[in-house]
Amino acid sequence: MRIRFTKMQGAGNDFVVLDETRGTLGLTPAQYRFLGNRHFGVGADQILTVRPSPGPDIDFQYVIHNSDGGEVEQCGNGARCFMRFVRERGLTTKDAVRVQTLSGVIEPRMGEDGRVTVDMGAPIFETEKVPFDPAGLTPQHEGAWQTWHLALSTHAEEAIIAVAVLSMGNPHAVQVVGNVDTAPVATQGPLIEHHPRFPQRVNAGFMQIVSRSQIRLRVFERGAGETLACGTGACAAVVSGIRLGLLDPRVDVETRGGRLTIEWAGVGQPVFMTGPAVTVFEGDIEVPEQP
Ligand SMILES: N[C@H](CCC[C@H](N)C(=O)O)C(=O)O
């Protein structure tokens, strides 16, 4: 099957974007993996699909697959690229659209400066909704909130880390580190992603506090590995830092791929994320029936 795609990136988190507003392609997980493959396919962290409105007061449906082929609930950097895509392809003339995802409705808005701001909805803290299994753990109360001690066992070492656990529609475990450049992302990332206390796996954030209004962040993403930026991860890290009493309500997040700005006014309030969204190129590719 020959398909048309658009390659996009938001702060270096890169995507294959598919337009299914005029009919669905019916791709399989193996075909999504093929599209994400950096050697045999196009190459991307996630594959984003634009579908028609599912109902009243909603402009589009937004479907997200990680490069491992699994469908997931949310993608923040992808939401900004989604907004640019529907504008550039003439699928909307609006400056802001309401978009249905697996985890609810989000609202990306084009900014004057070409950056995009997304209302990502309110973070979710109930452990059963992350989901996270705290059985047998005692929450560590730091400031106004709690972290959890996770045991990470490798053949080489036993490590106990303290993570903040929350959902931005997708699950996140965030730890504070002294320096993201030397943080054990490659070794601890997979152990956290696949930790048995996260039945749906989890995105693992490593946050360095630079000041009350600036952090550095690396994220080992569920289903994709370390990416140059993670939008929901930036939201989760800033929300965690604010609840731990370490950050102010507006924070610049320096990722390896660029800067995101996150604003959150407190529990029950939505998180706003602002950042870049870039179209890299368009193309066609032959997708094998059985890749
Ligand atoms: N890996 C994530 C999905 C993509 C999130 C990230 N690319 C973002 O910008 O939020 C997950 O499995 O929940």
Side-chain angles (χ1 to χ4, degrees):
M1 166 182 19
R2 191 153 192 82
I3 66 169
R4 187 118 185 105
F5 67 87
T6 300
K7 184 75 190 304
M8 302 186 77
Q9 60 88 7
N13 187 190
D14 66 339
F15 311 105
V16 166
V17 187
L18 305 174
D19 180 352
E20 290 193 0
T21 56
R22 299 175 182 82
T24 53
L25 295 168
L27 298 177
T28 64
Q31 291 174 317
Y32 286 116
R33 279 194 297 277
F34 170 82
L35 288 170
N37 189 297
R38 298 189 186 281
H39 303 286
F40 298 101
V42 179
D45 296 321
Q46 281 87 32
I47 298 89
L48 315 179
T49 302
V50 183
R51 289 192 182 146
S53 166
D57 194 30
I58 304 286
D59 296 290
F60 297 100
Q61 185 183 359
Y62 168 29
V63 180
I64 304 146
H65 289 82
N66 281 319
S67 52
D68 71 356
E71 185 174 357
V72 290
E73 310 89 342
Q74 195 53 266
C75 177
N77 289 321
R80 299 197 312 274
C81 289
F82 188 106
M83 183 72 232
R84 177 166 298 288
F85 181 86
V86 295
R87 281 286 294 260
E88 287 183 350
R89 298 223 10 153
L91 297 175
T92 186
T93 56
K94 294 180 178 179
D95 288 333
V97 289
R98 286 174 53 78
V99 178
Q100 181 72 55
T101 71
L102 273 184
S103 64
V105 176
I106 57 172
E107 296 191 32
R109 171 179 297 275
M110 287 302 290
E112 301 285 314
D113 58 359
R115 297 202 308 166
V116 181
T117 295
V118 188
D119 173 346
M120 293 296 295
I124 297 161
F125 301 103
E126 295 89 344
T127 54
E128 66 277 8
K129 294 181 181 174
V130 173
F132 171 66
D133 174 14
L137 293 181
T138 305
Q140 310 301 311
H141 288 280
E142 297 170 35
W145 196 30
Q146 65 197 21
T147 57
W148 302 91
H149 282 166
L150 280 191
L152 303 181
S153 55
T154 64
H155 63 281
E157 64 175 284
E158 274 284 326
I160 303 285
I161 62 170
V163 291
V165 174
L166 68 164
S167 171
M168 285 303 304
N170 59 345
H172 289 271
V174 183
Q175 62 179 300
V176 178
V177 297
N179 183 336
V180 290
D181 295 329
T182 57
V185 176
T187 51
Q188 288 191 4
L191 297 175
I192 299 167
E193 178 193 359
H194 295 278
H195 197 283
R197 289 188 179 276
F198 294 97
Q200 303 297 325
R201 296 181 290 157
V202 70
N203 298 283
F206 299 77
M207 167 171 64
Q208 175 186 342
I209 307 287
V210 177
S211 73
R212 293 189 61 84
S213 61
Q214 187 180 16
I215 66 170
R216 299 178 69 210
L217 180 69
R218 291 173 68 183
V219 181
F220 189 95
E221 287 198 27
R222 176 181 63 171
E226 182 175 7
T227 57
L228 293 182
C230 178
T232 52
C235 296
V238 169
V239 165
S240 301
I242 291 170
R243 290 208 69 181
L244 291 170
L246 303 172
L247 296 175
D248 288 339
R250 186 182 191 282
V251 176
D252 284 336
V253 180
E254 308 300 337
T255 76
R256 292 189 148 186
R259 171 178 301 171
L260 303 178
T261 301
I262 308 296
E263 297 172 274
W264 185 54
V267 175
Q269 298 299 312
V271 183
F272 291 92
M273 168 193 61
T274 299
V278 177
T279 299
V280 182
F281 66 91
E282 293 191 359
D284 299 287
I285 187 167
E286 188 63 39
V287 179
E289 289 303 317
Q290 308 281 340

